[in-house]
Amino acid sequence: MSFPLTENEGEITIFAMNRAEDDMALECVINGFGEYDVIEHIVMCDEDKYAMNDAQTPDRVVPAVADDVKVENGLCKATLKPLSWNVIRLKTINQ
C-alpha cells in the first residue's frame, strides 16, 4: 500500500489492492495527521475474476464509486472487494 500526503492541500490518498478472492478489511491509522473526512473511494473490480476489457467490451471493468469508508478516532476503515484496486481520498477537516 502507498500513502502519499499532500500537505499543501491537507489530503491523504491511499492506494490499496486486494489480491484475495474474499472481502478484505482495511484499517489505516491516520491519527498523526489531524482529523480527516472522506472525499471519495474509487474501486475497480468485477464479480468475474476473469473479466477484462477488450475490443468487444471496452468498458467491462471500470472505476466506480464506493461508499463504505469511515474515519473515526484516527482510524480509516474500509472493506475492499475481492480482487480489487482502490483509491481512498481523505481531506483534513481542521483547515
Side-chain angles (χ1 to χ4, degrees), residues 7 9-10 12 19 21-23 25 30-32 34 37-38 46 49 83 90 92-93:
E7 294 184 77
E9 300 173 20
I12 294 176
R19 295 181 180 178
E21 293 188 23
D22 297 311
D23 285 349
I30 56 170
N31 61 359
D37 199 7
V38 179
D46 194 279
K49 69 179 180 178
L83 304 169
L90 309 174
T92 186
I93 57 176

Side-chain angles (χ1 to χ4, degrees), residues 72-85:
E72 50 191 30
N73 301 320
L75 195 61
C76 175
K77 296 181 180 183
T79 300
L80 306 183
K81 292 185 178 191
L83 304 169
S84 64
W85 176 86

